[in-house]
Amino acid sequence: MNNSKYRGVVVPMVTPVTQDGQLDIKAVERIIDFFAENKVSPLLMGTTGEGNSVSQADGQLFVETAVKAASGRILIYAGLTGNCFSEQVRQAEIYSALGADVIVATLPTYYALTSEQMYDYYKTLADCITGPLMLYNILATTHMSIPVDVIRRLADHPNIVGLKDSERDLDRMAQCIEITKSHPEFAYFCGWAAQSAHALELGGNGIVPSTGNFVPEMFQQLFDAAVADDMVTANRLQDETNEIAKIYQKDRTLGQSLTALKVMMSTKGLCEPWMLMPLTRLSADEEQTIIDKVNALD
């Protein structure tokens, strides 16, 4: 692990909403407090947070509420998605002004982009915003992969502080972590939760596990163990969290898994399993099956 100040467990937080699609302010406060108590940070409006479905107004309210609830205890990472560059710059500046510590941006997704267009997009975005920028590579939703060579070039930019990579490619992971060794201020965060321990063993700075919405303490323990070079403990926790993840992920689409995750969180009184369109709740029978499996964990 290099000297970057960005490290640790960053949970891609769900976006809690009410039945009518309004941001659930009280639930945001509960979840942020839950995270702070377990010493993990949130990534707001990432993939797990239905980022593309959150309105600009609610995005601003979400960041403002999270920053106030965190009260300086943890860093706030704010996700940035969309295809209109000027609106993205505006939102990033608002998020930073509201107190977000890092802006985490995916690629625009409507057009297939060349490698040079990807580089120009991130370089220009980093030039235009005042807050630090983290790259977010997620092939599963953008249907594009930021090439390792492009990431290496962008790592030289003084306002680009790291990469959150959710691509399921072990060779790529190793290559990206290698970049951090020659760029001491550039952080690598693993967004492939099932490989969290492995990424940390290779020298990654942090992990971004969606299952951390439910068991943040286990991922913090995993991180601490890996940093202490106790890979026996880290790998045991990896296996245990992988099993918990199956409760909401197995045999479901990505969108279905997100509402299933909210069902799990509802058993802890954190939020209700309402979703933003176009995603919807699961059937009552499916929700009960998830609740039964959660109860069986005890």
Side-chain angles (χ1 to χ4, degrees):
M1 187 183 300
N2 64 15
N3 296 325
S4 172
K5 68 178 182 178
Y6 303 106
R7 59 181 61 202
V9 182
V10 176
V11 177
M13 180 176 162
V14 302
T15 297
V17 295
T18 59
Q19 185 173 0
D20 60 359
Q22 300 299 307
L23 187 69
D24 189 336
I25 299 297
K26 293 299 182 182
V28 172
E29 293 170 345
R30 285 194 298 272
I31 296 169
I32 292 295
D33 197 52
F34 180 52
F35 287 178
E37 289 174 354
N38 288 286
K39 301 178 182 178
V40 304
S41 290
L43 165 59
L44 312 180
M45 297 171 289
T47 303
T48 305
E50 306 168 74
N52 280 289
S53 301
V54 179
S55 70
Q56 290 188 3
D58 274 350
Q60 294 170 27
L61 180 60
F62 197 177
V63 172
E64 182 179 19
T65 304
V67 168
K68 288 181 179 178
S71 191
R73 292 176 290 172
I74 49 178
L75 296 181
I76 302 295
Y77 294 72
L80 192 68
T81 60
N83 293 313
C84 177
F85 185 77
S86 62
E87 289 181 359
Q88 286 184 297
V89 170
R90 177 179 175 275
Q91 285 296 98
E93 292 294 79
I94 291 173
Y95 294 163
S96 294
L98 289 171
D101 297 286
V102 189
I103 301 299
V104 187
T106 61
L107 285 168
T109 59
Y110 190 81
Y111 299 105
L113 303 177
T114 66
S115 295
E116 200 60 28
Q117 286 171 329
M118 294 181 196
Y119 173 80
D120 287 342
Y121 165 73
Y122 278 119
K123 180 184 180 301
T124 307
L125 183 60
D127 288 342
C128 289
I129 67 176
T130 52
L133 175 67
M134 188 170 285
L135 317 175
Y136 182 178
N137 182 66
I138 180 162
L139 175 63
T141 57
T142 66
H143 308 294
M144 291 180 282
S145 176
I146 308 169
V148 174
D149 286 346
V150 170
I151 293 167
R152 187 176 293 109
R153 291 169 63 195
L154 290 167
D156 290 327
H157 195 291
N159 202 34
I160 295 178
V161 299
L163 164 72
K164 185 232 168 176
D165 200 338
S166 297
E167 192 160 338
R168 300 188 173 195
D169 184 329
L170 291 175
D171 289 338
R172 174 190 171 87
M173 177 190 293
Q175 293 176 50
C176 290
I177 291 175
E178 195 65 28
I179 294 172
T180 70
K181 296 176 182 178
S182 58
H183 294 76
E185 304 301 322
F186 186 82
Y188 174 88
F189 280 80
C190 177
W192 182 6
Q195 294 294 332
S196 296
H198 179 63
L200 294 169
E201 186 175 22
L202 291 179
N205 299 81
I207 54 178
V208 191
S210 59
T211 311
N213 281 281
F214 185 67
V215 284
E217 71 284 357
M218 294 182 71
F219 286 99
Q220 186 58 47
Q221 291 164 12
L222 187 159
F223 177 82
D224 290 340
V227 169
D229 203 26
D230 179 3
M231 294 311 300
V232 172
T233 299
N235 286 320
R236 173 180 61 78
L237 288 161
Q238 182 72 79
D239 292 341
E240 291 174 1
T241 54
N242 288 349
E243 288 303 307
I244 293 171
K246 289 179 183 177
I247 296 175
Y248 69 97
Q249 292 176 349
K250 185 173 171 54
D251 299 326
R252 292 190 176 92
T253 65
L254 175 57
Q256 289 171 330
S257 76
L258 301 184
T259 186
L261 177 57
K262 286 185 180 180
V263 173
M264 292 178 69
M265 295 175 71
S266 73
T267 66
K268 293 188 174 183
L270 293 168
C271 67
E272 295 296 320
W274 300 109
M275 305 298 290
L276 292 168
M277 289 291 289
L279 300 183
T280 55
R281 285 183 69 157
L282 301 175
S283 69
D285 286 345
E286 287 177 289
E287 290 189 3
Q288 188 58 53
T289 297
I290 293 166
I291 292 169
D292 291 343
K293 289 181 177 179
V294 168
N295 291 336
L297 293 173
D298 303 331

